[in-house]
């Protein structure tokens, strides 16, 4: 046997040589991750060098372009590669959120289309990591019309799980999820998803530079971010190989979707409001309108429809409904964490009450009728206001158990687990801490574990604004936050959620194999019984019994 210089080698020498080569390769990974460089804050990506900063035991790289700015002719086009740069790119500050209006009197508006950037957070210490770390890609929520990666500090997850954590901005609302007859039919209503997929391809190509394992990527998201994870899971021809595990927090993967044609009606309203009604010139006309005018037209077209810009089924981007894809095994078959919050839709009842739409004993029936139509009498009998602390709490509980047109409900989460668990391991959960910090100002009724109330347990001081200035969690909640993130990051590492000293989280095999996250009460429980899914199955068998 000869080595690379042609010198004869014995087997012991060959073994020693292989050890040296492997150590050299490992050292190259470490150096690429910025560990043994003279300046560990500089990393070489495919498009050029980036300069981050050390903060709170992590290396942070913010505002790295993963696609070209979607301006002018690139508005409503597939994301295009970013231009390479010379020198060193300053990656110490977040870039602009994608265009959006302020919502609920708290979130921040943005009018900047140059927003397709991502952020990478890497654990930092003086000792190098001998192996590549798992990668977690976080997709933010915001009802498909708002939100930003800058709202989510990634250091807690990164240090808890010794993981590389990535977040990104993606086009929203009118610019990212709107369908219109003049758009490319393959991607109509799904350009935001293509932004996310472009970011995932960037992660796959650049993970090693940050010490991440391109063959161990977990995608995770909450609300619209969770629904986006669902859309990637059910589009295997587009996304297979881009991720290896999925975490869905309040997404409802098997919620029925509207078709591209149905959602195009909203897009046509937007075009009408800004004066772009001629079919032959509509696209050029829309591209000539200001961001502000389009956002305001989009809000007007949306009205009170919470899901006016939800993803559309029937394109290359989303070929099948979630139930059809998952139920038939036509999805990316990777392990999943799936679930949501006990009192999801009490949050939106609170928003309505704050806006002046009261819920009282006298108008409770009218609210139920509006949502459940011909089933109203049965629902009122099953959920009388007398069984709850207040009529708004009753209404929020009803919708959090099941609501057909909004995927934020516990019976639809269970149905996702039942279909997916036939093919992959699913770890089902309910976040049930009714003492979680308030997500909005006090609406005058009991909120509980509402939609998004788990986010401060993952992202300390999460406040739904770029200030990230919410108070620290109380001690009991901090303990559970550490347990939650231990489960999450263990799952990202090897597909099994484990937290030292905490109960075993078993894979979902039956209704009572659902994990409850509640301080001092962690463990399995019967979620179907808790959320009355037997009742809802009788009313909606086509959705909940296939």
């Amino acid at each position: 046997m000869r080595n690379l210089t042609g010198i004869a080698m014995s087997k012991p020498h060959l073994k020693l040589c292989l050890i040296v080569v492997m150590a050299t390769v490992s050292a190259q990974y470490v150096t690429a991750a910025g560990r043994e460089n003279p300046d560990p804050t500089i990393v070489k990506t495919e498009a050029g060098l980036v300069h981050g900063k050390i903060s709170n035991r992590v290396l942070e790289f913010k505002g790295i372009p993963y696609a070209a700015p979607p301006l002018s002719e690139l508005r409503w086009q597939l994301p295009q590669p970013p231009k390479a740069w010379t020198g060193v790119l300053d990656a110490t500050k977040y870039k602009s959120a994608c265009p959006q209006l302020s919502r609920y009197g708290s979130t921040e508006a943005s009018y900047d289309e140059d927003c397709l950037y991502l952020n990478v957070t890497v654990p930092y210490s003086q000792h190098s990591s001998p192996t590549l770390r798992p990668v977690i890609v976080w997709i933010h929520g915001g009802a498909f019309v708002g939100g930003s990666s800058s709202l989510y500090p990634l250091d807690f997850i990164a240090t808890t799980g010794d993981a590389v954590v990535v977040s990104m901005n993606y086009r929203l609302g009118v610019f990212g999820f709107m369908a219109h007859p003049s758009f490319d039919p393959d991607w109509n209503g799904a350009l935001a998803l293509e932004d996310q997929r472009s970011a995932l391809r960037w992660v796959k190509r650049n993970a090693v530079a940050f010490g991440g394992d391109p063959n161990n990527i977990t995608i995770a998201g909450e609300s619209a971010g969770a629904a986006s994870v669902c859309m990637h899971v059910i589009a295997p021809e587009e996304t297979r190989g881009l991720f290896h595990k999925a975490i869905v927090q309040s997404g409802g993967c098997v919620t029925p979707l509207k078709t591209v044609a149905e959602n195009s009606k909203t897009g046509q309203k937007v075009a009408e409001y800004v004066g772009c009604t001629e079919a032959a010139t509509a696209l050029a006309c829309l591209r000539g309108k200001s961001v502000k005018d389009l956002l305001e037209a989009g809000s007007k077209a949306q009205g009170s429809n919470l899901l006016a810009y939800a993803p559309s089924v029937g394109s290359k981007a989303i070929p099948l409904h979630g139930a059809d894809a998952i139920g038939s095994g036509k999805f990316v078959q990777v392990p999943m964490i799936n679930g949501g919050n006990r009192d999801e839709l009490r949050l939106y009842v609170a928003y309505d009450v704050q806006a002046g739409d009261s819920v009282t004993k006298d108008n409770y029936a009218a609210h139920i009728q509006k949502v459940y139509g011909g089933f109203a009498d049965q629902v009122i009998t099953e959920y009388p206001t007398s069984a709850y602390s207040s009529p708004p709490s009753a209404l929020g509980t009803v919708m959090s158990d099941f609501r057909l047109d909004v995927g934020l409900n516990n019976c639809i989460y269970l149905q996702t687990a039942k279909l997916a668990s036939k093919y992959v391991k699913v770890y089902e959960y309910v976040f049930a801490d009714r003492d979680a910090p308030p997500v909005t100002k006090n609406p005058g009724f009991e909120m509980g574990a509402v939609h998004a109330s788990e986010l401060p347990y993952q992202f300390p001081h999460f406040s739904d604004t770029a200030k990230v200035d919410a108070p620290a969690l109380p001690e009991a909640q901090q303990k559970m936050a550490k347990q939650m993130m231990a489960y999450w990051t263990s799952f990202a590492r090897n597909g099994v959620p484990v937290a030292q000293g905490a109960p075993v989280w078993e894979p979902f095999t039956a209704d009572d194999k659902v994990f409850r996250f509640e301080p001092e009460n962690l463990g399995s429980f019967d979620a179907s019984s808790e959320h009355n899914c037997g009742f809802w199955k009788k009313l909606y068998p086509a959705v909940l019994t296939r």
Side-chain angles (χ1 to χ4, degrees), residues 19-39:
I19 292 172
V20 171
V21 169
M22 291 176 68
T24 302
V25 171
S26 178
Q28 287 173 344
Y29 286 149
V30 170
T31 301
R35 297 305 189 115
E36 296 179 356
N37 260 328
D39 185 350

Side-chain angles (χ1 to χ4, degrees), residues 75 99-101 110-113 174-175 274 289-299:
R75 184 188 278 181
Q100 59 192 279
L101 297 175
S110 174
Y111 300 95
D112 189 354
E113 285 183 275
V174 169
F175 299 94
V274 295
K289 300 300 178 180
S290 72
V291 170
K292 186 174 186 294
D293 286 347
L294 288 167
L295 286 175
E296 291 175 352
S299 178

Side-chain angles (χ1 to χ4, degrees), residues 104 223 250 306-307 340-353 359 371-372 391-413 440 443 445-453 531:
Y104 307 119
S223 192
S250 302
L306 184 64
L307 297 179
N341 296 358
R342 178 177 180 172
D343 306 299
E344 292 277 16
L345 288 173
R346 286 190 186 183
L347 176 62
Y348 289 91
V349 174
Y351 288 148
D352 288 343
V353 168
V359 182
V371 176
Y372 299 100
S393 294
L395 179 61
T397 298
V398 174
M399 297 190 299
S400 298
D401 284 353
F402 182 75
R403 177 173 172 170
L404 179 64
D405 60 334
V406 177
L408 306 179
N409 65 81
N410 285 278
C411 293
I412 208 76
Y413 303 153
T440 185
F445 67 89
E446 181 189 2
M447 293 280 282
V450 300
H451 187 60
S453 60
H531 293 286

